[in-house]
Amino acid sequence: HHPPRSKAEVWRTPRGVGGIGELAMSGLGRLFGKGKKEKGPIPEEAIQKLKETEKILIKKQEFLEQKIQQELQTAKKYGTKNKRAALQALRRKKRFEQQLAQTDGTLSTLEFQREAIENATTNAEVLRTMELAAQGMKKAYQDMDIDKVDELMTDITEQQEVAQQISDAISRPMGFGDDVDEDELLEELELLEQEELAQELLSVGDKEEEPPVKLPSVPSTHLPAEPAPKADEDEEALKQLAEWVS
């Protein structure tokens, strides 16, 4: 017979030897969660179970509130007439109030847990959606290269510049005088204006020195249609007219 082993030796016994070590290890495994894991409920099931429990606690709250009011009325009813019965009613009322406070705390805990699960479910759904979006974006860009994109954008910019140059060339007016400097034309125009102004000033000075010209009045008689007689003929006619008058 072997001497009895200590507890430390029992714990150090390898599996399959004596059966004690294996039993101890399996017990530790269950204690620390290393055993076979059971499948837990899905979030929707947990949320539904919490809601059902909340309804039970709410009904319990209503029941306790009614009992508190009943015991309060009982204590008022007996008052000083039956002090012992009144005190018992107040004691029951106190216990009901304690139970109500505990129920309130438990209900708050369940509500908090349910909201946490709902938020976690929402966040999980958002993450799944974001993951799908990321995969879709990755698939959309899988055939694209950033260097090719940069090269394409450079080509587009160059083509736009060429198009602008073509538009400028087409819209530029054609014909003689395109190369004439506009400043030179303005200088020539200014010289012409100065010469014109000087000429006007000279004309004004000459007109002031010359005497005014008196124009003869227009005769009222009609001129003869035949050509006028010569000078000697006129003198002869005048001489005859003078002799006839005298």
Side-chain angles (χ1 to χ4, degrees):
H1 297 282
H2 298 285
R5 293 179 295 178
S6 63
K7 293 182 179 181
E9 292 176 343
V10 171
W11 285 108
R12 288 195 298 268
T13 302
R15 289 188 177 185
V17 180
I20 299 177
E22 183 178 357
L23 179 62
M25 292 300 293
S26 62
L28 289 175
R30 288 193 299 271
L31 179 62
F32 292 102
K34 294 182 179 181
K36 184 178 180 180
K37 294 183 179 180
E38 297 181 359
K39 185 179 180 181
I42 61 177
E44 290 77 8
E45 293 175 350
I47 292 173
Q48 184 62 31
K49 188 64 178 178
L50 287 171
K51 287 182 178 180
E52 293 175 358
T53 307
E54 289 174 9
K55 291 180 180 179
I56 295 174
L57 292 178
I58 291 173
K59 291 181 179 180
K60 185 176 181 180
Q61 283 179 330
E62 296 173 354
F63 172 77
L64 292 173
E65 289 173 352
Q66 292 177 359
K67 296 298 292 183
I68 289 171
Q69 292 299 324
Q70 291 176 1
E71 297 300 336
L72 181 61
Q73 294 298 328
T74 301
K76 290 181 179 180
K77 176 182 177 181
Y78 289 107
T80 56
K81 297 177 183 179
N82 192 343
K83 189 174 182 179
R84 179 173 173 273
L87 291 175
Q88 289 179 350
L90 292 176
R91 291 190 185 96
R92 290 192 296 270
K93 171 180 171 294
K94 190 69 174 178
R95 291 198 302 271
F96 290 145
E97 289 176 345
Q98 292 176 353
Q99 294 178 17
L100 181 60
Q102 293 175 353
T103 303
D104 292 341
T106 303
L107 183 60
S108 298
T109 302
L110 294 180
E111 289 176 349
F112 176 80
Q113 190 175 14
R114 176 176 54 82
E115 292 173 357
I117 297 175
E118 291 174 348
N119 293 334
T121 304
T122 303
N123 293 335
E125 185 64 26
V126 171
L127 288 176
R128 282 193 292 269
T129 303
M130 293 175 66
E131 183 180 4
L132 290 175
Q135 293 176 358
M137 184 177 294
K138 184 177 180 181
K139 186 175 182 60
Y141 289 118
Q142 65 181 356
D143 297 331
M144 294 186 183
D145 186 2
I146 186 61
D147 295 333
K148 293 182 179 179
V149 173
D150 291 338
E151 183 179 355
L152 175 61
M153 295 306 297
T154 302
D155 292 341
I156 292 175
T157 303
E158 292 178 354
Q159 293 301 323
Q160 289 177 347
E161 293 177 355
V162 171
Q164 184 63 38
Q165 293 175 2
I166 294 174
S167 299
D168 295 340
I170 293 175
S171 61
R172 186 182 303 118
M174 299 179 64
F176 177 77
D178 293 343
D179 297 333
V180 177
D181 190 358
E182 187 175 357
D183 293 337
E184 294 180 358
L185 296 177
L186 292 174
E187 290 178 1
E188 184 177 354
L189 178 61
E190 185 177 357
L191 292 175
L192 293 175
E193 291 177 349
Q194 291 177 359
E195 292 178 359
E196 184 68 20
L197 180 61
Q199 187 66 29
E200 292 179 358
L201 292 175
L202 292 175
S203 300
V204 171
D206 294 341
K207 290 180 180 180
E208 291 179 353
E209 294 178 359
E210 294 178 356
V213 178
K214 186 177 181 180
L215 298 176
S217 59
V218 179
S220 58
T221 59
H222 295 283
L223 296 176
E226 296 180 357
K230 297 179 181 180
D232 53 354
E233 293 179 354
D234 293 340
E235 293 178 358
E236 184 66 23
L238 291 174
K239 184 178 181 181
Q240 292 177 2
L241 180 60
E243 292 178 353
W244 179 76
V245 171
S246 60

